[in-house]
Every structure is written in structure tokens, then in C-alpha cells.
Amino acid sequence: MLTVNAITATSATEPLVRGTVERRDLGPRDVLIEIRYAGICHSDIHTVRGEWGEVPYPLTVGHEIVGVVTEVGGQVSKHAVGDRAGVGCMVNSCRECANCQAGQEQYCTTGNIGTYADVDRDGTVTQGGYSTHVVVDEDFVLRVPESIPYEKAAPLLCAGITTYSPLSHWNAGPGRKVAVVGMGGLGHMAVKFAVAMGAEVTVLSQTLGKKDDGLAFGAADYQATRDAATFEALANRFDLIINTVSAPIDVEAYLGLLRLDGTLVSVGAPPEPLPVQVFALFGNRRSFAGSSIGSIAETQEMLDFCAERGIAPEVEVIDAGQVNEAYERVLSSDVRYRFVIDVDSLR
Ligand code: NAP
Ligand code: ZN
Ligand code: ZN
């Protein structure tokens, strides 16, 4: 067992504090990663504040992890000491169900094993990446291309794959009109990916405050959702809408923006239900869907796509002592566009 420094939540209401977590001894198929940077995802905040249910405090969150491989188990073949490595939102799955067999282990029918607040196959509670080291099964470790700086690679492991996957699945590309709702960590990556895939992209943000950024990321249009006229002007327009908002949205208002056979995909995960009358789906034969992260293979594809196309998130690097302040800024939509913890500040 390895005891390592970490940033820990002790309750839903107390600030995060410095603590430690235990990492298991390296098994034959395990990889030990010395973490360099860890991104702050809004899911970390939903989790530590108890918004998604019971939390096994004390808990260390963080599922946007990058670092260097410093040790490998005897049977490890995919990674070597010195490799640049990444870990995202899951660290294991059953490997036997239909979805795991189909290479869609994020949809493991018994539930993939989350990077934190979950129970691993050895019975221990998983602990996330706001820490100096992590031990992960080699099948759930990604290769981070050389050309992506570590701190910019971190957010790709969740914000990146969570937006790349639905854009790819629902065919964002030339000739397709895509809207992105909410331009935070996930949203700004959705804009960059949809633009790179060749779609015509509109950002739907609460205000026009970040319009210059949205246009610089390649969006063709940027509209304020606090302005009711936006919903009239853009009615029946989009093939695909990616909702990244962390709070409830008026689903029916957004469904009205879809053209024939259009799809509204929510990746945003507020704890509250999002009510919808079926009649809102009848017009234009609309679909309302959800999407959860992406498979390990697709995450590797996304990382390689970013390296080839020069795509990277906008990050603000912080020290361990600034995490509580960063949480408050995320909650007030004051993030440009992902906070990333420099884990050296924890050593
Ligand atoms: P974030 O950086 O806080 O971005 C969320 C954005 O939503 C904000 O920047 C803001 O954009 C908008 N927003 C926030 N509160 C709002 C409100 N009350 N009304 C309207 N718009 C609001 O969060 P994130 O890290 O991107 O995560 C977004 C959501 O995705 C979270 O719920 C997270 O848990 C979820 N998530 C899901 C998955 C998955 O697998 N499906 C993976 C990762 C994260 P504007 O300022 O532009 O309006
Ligand atoms: Zn996340
Ligand atoms: Zn499975």
C-alpha cells in the first residue's frame, strides 16, 4: 500500500482540505502513474457536494488525470516506465457484458467502475486524481501524445471525450448545424470539436459575455439564451444540440430549435429531472438523448485527433491551495475554460 498526498472532501459543506489516500500495491496488470496535472470537472463539484447521492467521505475526486508512468506490473504490455499517461472517468468494468464485449465499456451493464467514489473489483473505494499518484489497470490507461502539453491534456480525459463522443455518434460534420448550450469546460471543447469536424456551430450561452471567445474557437454564431428572441430566431434550425449545462434547462424550449429528425443530447448532468411533454418530440420527429463519456478506444482516438489537428482546451493552472476558490468560480460560470491543478504543489 502506498499512502500519497491528496486534496480531500470531508463533507458536502466543508471546504476541501489536504489529506492522503491509499493506493493499492501494484498488481500484475497495474500501472503506477505519478500525476502531474488534474482537471476540475463540474462532476467533481456535484459529487463532493452530495448532489448526486450518498458520498463515501473522506473522498478525493478528480477524473482528468495526466502524468508519467513510474512503475508497471509484471504482465503489463501496453505501457512502459516513462510513458506519458492519462486516466479519465473510469478505471475498470466487468469486461463480460454485451456492452463491454462491444468495446463500449463506459456503458457496462453492471456499471463501469468510476475513478472515484466507486467500489473497485478488490473491494476498495476508488479515489480520484487530486493526488500525487494513482494505480490503474493498464486497459484503462490512455497514451498522451507528445505534442499535447500535460496541463492541456488533462481536461481531454473527461471534458474532451464527453463532447467528442456524441458529436461523432450523431455525425457532426459538413452540412450539419450544431448548437452547443453552455460554454464552460465541456461546452468550449464541444465548440472546438464540432468546428474541427466541419459543422456550422452556434453557441447558446446565458449572455453574450464570452462571444469573442466563442467566435475565436470557430463558432459561426453566438446567441444569448436569456434573450427570449433567441428561441424564436433559431426555431427549427439545428440538426444536433449538445447541452452541457450543469443546471436544469427548459428542454422543450431547446427541442423547438431542432429541425426535422434533429436530436438534443444532454451531457450536462443536473441532479433534478428534466421534464418533457411527448408532444414536444412529435413535431419534427425530434429526439431527446443522453451520452456518457466515451470508450477507452474512442478516448484514445480523441487524444490522437487533438494531436493531429492541434486542438487543446483553454486552461487556468492553479495550485492545490486554490481549489476551493476555483470551485466557487466554476459555480458562478466564471471559468475560462477549465481549471487544472498543478499536482507538484501537493508534493
Ligand atoms: P462548467 O464548466 O461549469 O460549464 C457549465 C456551463 O453551463 C457554464 O459555464 C454555463 O455556461 C452554463 N450554466 C451554468 N449554470 C447555468 C444555469 N443555471 N443556467 C444556464 N446555464 C448555466 O461544467 P462542466 O465541467 O463543463 O460540466 C457540465 C455538466 O456536464 C455538469 O453537469 C457535469 O456533471 C456534466 N458532465 C457529464 C458528463 C457525461 O459523461 N455525460 C461528463 C462530464 C461532465 P454559460 O456561461 O456559457 O451560460
Ligand atoms: Zn468529468
Ligand atoms: Zn460490462
Side-chain angles (χ1 to χ4, degrees), residues 94-97 100 108-110:
C94 86
R95 299 158 190 251
E96 287 165 3
C97 72
C100 281
C108 177
T109 55
T110 59

Side-chain angles (χ1 to χ4, degrees), residues 41 43 63-64 89 158-159 338:
C41 178
S43 301
H63 57 205
E64 294 184 336
C89 302
C158 175
R338 200 56 144 185

